[in-house]
């Protein structure tokens, strides 16, 4: 590798491949069911959305990116409105909600535009690519295999159920990373950018038009290392190249 070669760590979900849009599709069905089941009290989509997000985020903070968290958040939200509006829960409806929530992990996987071109360009430029993703190993490995991501990341793939400052620090500490030559690329301020800034590595924030509320946190700290914001994955190679010039 050349003198200017960098270690580039990529997030996977909603950085390289689509993820949130599938959750939004499932939530669309969920909101329809909930407003129909509670139409006698005039329950609105916004009320359901707000409570489900609150419960979902609390579950992730506690359990990390466990697959059961999302379907359980649908059921817990259902129970919440049942309690405050005096509607009895139904085992059949609970089972329907759990199946609906789990179906998000069965969706066909789709790459973001320019994924292959971006990874190939960085590889051709002599950079060392790493993949760091949050979730359950079984589910994340299936995505990695279907998208053939090991062609680019080899054995430099890290799957963690909790994706936070300590998880990133562990990866950096156990590897041979020069922090000034290391980058974190991702769409989440919470799980990508803030941990990168805290660890003292460079970061590129890929800002999405419709971002998951969990990822949107205030960036309170002043970055002492490099932080760029782009709107597309395909901008990443040029940003790194211009930074190294």
């Amino acid at each position: 590798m050349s003198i200017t070669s960098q270690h580039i760590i990529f997030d996977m979900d909603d950085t390289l491949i689509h993820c949130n849009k599938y959750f939004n599709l499932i939530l669309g069905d969920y909101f329809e069911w909930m407003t129909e089941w509670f139409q006698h009290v005039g329950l609105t989509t916004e009320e359901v959305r707000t409570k489900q997000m609150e419960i979902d985020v609390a579950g992730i903070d506690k359990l990390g990116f466990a697959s059961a968290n999302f379907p359980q958040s649908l059921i817990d939200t259902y129970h919440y409105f049942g309690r405050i509006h005096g509607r009895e829960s139904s085992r059949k409806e609970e089972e329907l909600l759990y199946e609906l929530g789990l179906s998000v992990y069965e969706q066909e996987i789709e790459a973001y535009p320019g994924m292959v071109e971006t990874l190939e360009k960085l590889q051709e430029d002599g950079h060392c690519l790493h993949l760091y993703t949050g979730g359950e190993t079984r589910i994340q490995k299936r995505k990695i295999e279907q998208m053939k991501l090991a062609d680019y990341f080899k054995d430099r793939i890290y799957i963690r159920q909790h994706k936070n400052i300590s998880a990133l620090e562990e990866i950096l500490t156990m590897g041979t990373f020069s922090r000034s030559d290391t980058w974190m690329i991702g769409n989440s301020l919470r799980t990508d950018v803030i941990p990168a800034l805290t660890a003292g590595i460079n970061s590129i924030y890929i800002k999405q038009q419709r971002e998951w509320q969990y990822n949107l946190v205030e960036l309170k700290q002043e970055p002492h290392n490099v932080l760029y914001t782009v709107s597309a994955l395909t901008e990443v190679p040029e940003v790194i190249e211009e930074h190294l010039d």
Side-chain angles (χ1 to χ4, degrees), residues 104-172:
V104 75
Y105 304 110
E106 300 167 2
Q107 305 296 317
E108 186 175 347
I109 298 165
E110 178 187 354
Y112 264 88
M115 182 196 79
V116 170
E117 294 86 341
T118 298
L119 295 178
E120 287 186 349
K121 177 68 168 68
L122 292 168
Q123 202 171 56
E124 289 167 5
D125 289 346
H127 302 305
C128 184
L129 306 183
H130 304 254
L131 186 66
Y132 168 38
T133 180
E136 291 183 0
T137 300
R138 173 183 58 84
I139 293 171
Q140 298 306 87
K141 276 189 172 180
R142 178 178 65 87
K143 297 178 185 179
I144 290 165
E145 289 169 3
Q146 289 188 11
M147 300 308 295
K148 302 187 186 309
L149 291 175
D151 291 351
Y152 305 100
F153 300 104
K154 310 303 180 189
D155 61 346
R156 301 179 299 275
I157 296 173
Y158 320 101
I159 301 172
R160 299 291 186 271
Q161 190 152 320
H162 289 274
K163 196 161 183 272
N164 50 28
I165 292 168
S166 59
L168 179 58
E169 185 61 39
E170 178 199 15
I171 291 167
L172 294 172

Side-chain angles (χ1 to χ4, degrees), residues 44-60:
T44 67
T45 293
E46 197 54 42
E47 287 177 290
V48 181
R49 188 195 310 276
T50 301
K51 178 53 65 174
Q52 186 275 331
M53 176 56 64
E54 175 189 316
I55 292 173
D56 195 25
V57 168
I60 294 168

Side-chain angles (χ1 to χ4, degrees), residues 9 13-14 21 30 164 173 181 196 199 218 231:
I9 306 172
D13 291 331
D14 283 314
K21 79 173 189 177
Y30 177 64
N164 50 28
T173 301
D181 296 329
E218 186 179 352
S231 57

